[in-house]
Amino acid sequence: MEYLKRISDELLAKKLRSSAAVLIEGPKWCGKTSTGAQLAKSIIYIQDPDKRQMYRQMADAQPSLLLEGDTPRMLDEWQTIPVIWDAVRFAADQRQKMNQFILTGSATPIDDGNGEIEHTGTGRIARLRMRPMSLWESLESTGQVSLKDLFDGKQAMGLYENRLTIKDLAYIMCRGGWPGTLGIDKADALEVPFNLVDEFVNTDVNKVDNTEKNPQRVRAVLRSYARNISTMTVATTIMKDVRANDISITDKTLSNYLTALRRLFIVEDQKAWQPSLRSKTAIRTSDKRHFVDTSIATAVLELNPTSILEDFNLFGFLFEDFCLRDLRIYSQPLRGTVYHYHDNSGLEADMIIRLNDGRWAAIEVKTGNKEIEEAASNLIKLSNTVDTSKVGNPSFMMVLTAGQYAYQRKDGVYVVPIGCLKD
């Protein structure tokens, strides 16, 4: 299958122009290697079984040997030989040139005290976060509504039609945005997330910190996370959930398992936005529970496109997680972070996108047309609740839907199907 353009392509090129090295990090199978290979002039695949031992011997003897080659030189899955990090950092200092190295990694290595990683790489190694493909990148969104144009006030708004039905969305949510699922049989594509979860549970979660973990416990933690997806469920609730079938698990064990899952980029929680308010209302600061891709949640819960539509309440929580993935990807070129808002009065917004220049937008996620009116009213109420003298007026307000049409309401709120959105 030919390479499909990724939003990360230009981000990588930009970072290489301003840094000696770039680390592309994200979960397995999200496309890091393929994206890096588009710009790399030479590549070492560290996990190549025919050469892995040789690479380790070279790293033990003289790590700089691994860095010799046309630049930018890509070192794929560098974290399996951690000393590469310091070798790249030192080479960057010596060469005093941009565009030298691309590192890819599907796990964050720990500092185990053995001295293999001595420096952070600050100022020499830039970071680029990749996630599975958004609907725009997988060519399934029409892209008629641009997040950048909305922030810039340049979005021309007609009555745009979403070509994805609810059934289509249910299938894509279960299939995921994994590049390898595109272009293969649809039934086979649905098996990929199950295979990935099996690998996470049985192999990767142990390698990330070199400690053996109980696969059944790991799966139980993932199931609890999935059952509480898109909610502010606290760790104690997850503990109670897991203990229902495993009374011997300790708080420390759960913490270690969750840390490992984060370092594998499998779970990716959503932090709360804490603006200045006009009232004395208290803001809730708990993170919302989310996955890097909704298909992980559907796989650990053993769901399929038909079963998630039979429980529309669950579908709504999964759809919010699905939309968050795309909004995180689309906001990256704008240097945006996606938060949530919830205060003690019950006022909430599923997504607050805040750019590094201070601009912000409020978004509610809804699956049906009947909920749009209430969602729009809540967004307007939120815009009147925050202290705009300190945070400014929202660049836009949007109800993100699974519906058929994109349009702008008379009150200024945009209604946009996720299948019409792009960066």
Side-chain angles (χ1 to χ4, degrees):
M1 181 178 175
E2 66 175 299
Y3 179 78
L4 294 180
K5 184 179 178 182
R6 304 294 295 271
I7 290 170
S8 294
D9 293 340
E10 180 53 38
L11 294 176
L12 176 59
K14 184 177 181 180
K15 285 182 179 292
L16 282 170
R17 291 194 297 268
S18 59
S19 181
V22 178
L23 167 62
I24 309 175
E25 53 187 359
K28 273 190 173 182
W29 254 54
C30 73
K32 302 181 300 298
T33 301
S34 297
T35 291
Q38 303 306 305
L39 293 180
K41 300 300 183 184
S42 62
I43 303 174
I44 284 186
Y45 298 99
I46 302 295
Q47 293 187 326
D48 181 343
D50 292 336
K51 299 178 180 179
R52 184 167 49 204
Q53 189 59 37
M54 178 186 69
Y55 291 149
R56 290 188 181 280
Q57 292 171 351
M58 292 170 66
D60 288 339
Q62 190 176 342
S64 60
L65 293 174
L66 296 173
L67 309 186
E68 294 179 1
D70 294 339
T71 58
R73 184 164 177 77
M74 186 169 86
L75 297 102
D76 188 47
E77 296 295 341
W78 73 274
Q79 77 280 352
T80 58
I81 305 180
V83 72
I84 286 175
W85 183 269
D86 279 343
V88 167
R89 182 204 60 80
F90 184 76
D93 282 347
Q94 295 298 303
R95 297 183 187 185
Q96 293 292 303
K97 294 180 180 179
M98 306 299 180
N99 198 37
Q100 295 298 294
F101 303 105
I102 300 170
L103 307 177
T104 73
S106 54
T108 304
I110 59 169
D111 181 4
D112 56 9
N114 64 9
E116 288 189 283
I117 300 177
E118 296 186 359
H119 300 277
T120 63
T122 302
R124 291 94 160 182
I125 305 175
R127 291 174 182 263
L128 174 61
R129 183 70 175 271
M130 278 193 71
R131 300 174 176 88
M133 300 179 90
S134 64
L135 290 176
W136 173 240
E137 292 170 306
S138 60
L139 308 181
E140 291 165 304
S141 169
T142 64
Q144 294 163 301
V145 181
S146 161
L147 194 67
K148 182 180 187 301
D149 287 348
L150 286 169
F151 269 107
D152 291 342
K154 298 179 180 179
Q155 176 65 51
M157 207 65 192
L159 185 65
Y160 301 136
E161 187 170 4
N162 172 28
R163 62 191 179 199
L164 297 175
T165 66
I166 286 285
K167 287 185 177 180
D168 292 332
L169 290 171
Y171 169 78
I172 296 169
M173 287 159 65
C174 292
R175 180 206 69 196
W178 313 103
T181 62
L182 305 180
I184 67 173
D185 180 81
K186 291 184 70 173
D188 293 338
L190 288 175
E191 291 298 312
V192 170
F194 288 94
N195 298 337
L196 284 171
V197 168
D198 285 343
E199 191 168 352
F200 291 149
V201 167
N202 295 301
T203 304
D204 295 339
V205 78
N206 298 322
K207 291 180 179 179
V208 73
D209 57 8
N210 295 318
T211 60
E212 195 73 21
K213 297 176 183 64
N214 183 319
Q216 291 180 329
R217 279 184 175 176
V218 177
R219 198 175 287 274
V221 171
L222 284 171
R223 277 200 299 267
S224 178
Y225 233 84
R227 282 193 290 266
N228 292 290
I229 197 168
S230 303
T231 70
M232 292 182 287
T233 299
V234 295
T236 53
T237 300
I238 295 175
M239 172 62 85
K240 291 178 182 177
D241 202 4
V242 176
R243 274 184 174 165
N245 296 300
D246 182 4
I247 61 173
S248 63
I249 189 171
T250 65
D251 291 340
K252 183 178 180 180
T253 297
L254 177 62
S255 178
N256 290 340
Y257 280 28
L258 290 176
T259 297
L261 293 172
R262 292 188 185 101
R263 291 178 49 197
L264 287 169
F265 308 104
I266 296 172
V267 298
E268 187 177 8
D269 291 343
Q270 181 186 17
K271 295 191 177 299
W273 187 50
Q274 300 180 54
S276 298
L277 302 181
R278 291 174 177 168
S279 65
K280 294 183 179 180
T281 303
I283 299 173
R284 299 181 66 180
T285 59
S286 299
D287 292 354
K288 271 190 175 182
R289 305 298 182 179
H290 285 285
F291 288 88
V292 72
D293 191 276
T294 311
S295 64
I296 299 173
T298 60
V300 297
L301 292 176
E302 299 185 349
L303 300 172
N304 59 44
T306 300
S307 60
I308 65 173
L309 287 175
E310 290 173 349
D311 183 346
F312 218 65
N313 185 54
L314 173 61
F315 179 84
F317 287 111
L318 292 169
F319 183 65
E320 181 179 333
D321 182 80
F322 181 67
C323 291
L324 176 60
R325 181 201 67 186
D326 279 17
L327 286 176
R328 280 173 161 160
I329 295 169
Y330 297 152
S331 62
Q332 241 182 315
L334 304 176
R335 294 186 175 275
T337 303
V338 187
Y339 300 94
H340 74 90
Y341 176 87
H342 197 122
D343 63 35
N344 285 352
S345 73
L347 184 61
E348 63 180 350
D350 296 320
M351 320 281 180
I352 299 289
I353 304 177
R354 187 184 184 281
L355 309 188
N356 70 331
D357 61 11
R359 287 182 292 168
W360 64 282
I363 299 170
E364 277 276 76
V365 177
K366 299 299 177 186
T367 54
N369 291 329
K370 294 180 180 179
E371 302 168 297
I372 290 175
E373 189 66 39
E374 181 182 357
S377 176
N378 283 343
L379 291 173
I380 293 171
K381 185 177 180 180
L382 172 61
S383 69
N384 293 326
T385 299
V386 299
D387 189 345
T388 53
S389 67
K390 295 184 177 179
V391 301
N393 292 309
S395 296
F396 64 90
M397 293 176 286
M398 177 197 296
V399 182
L400 195 57
T401 76
Q404 189 173 4
Y405 295 107
Y407 57 94
Q408 188 173 19
R409 292 162 47 97
K410 291 180 180 180
D411 56 17
V413 175
Y414 292 91
V415 177
V416 181
I418 188 65
C420 290
L421 199 60
K422 70 172 183 178
D423 60 313

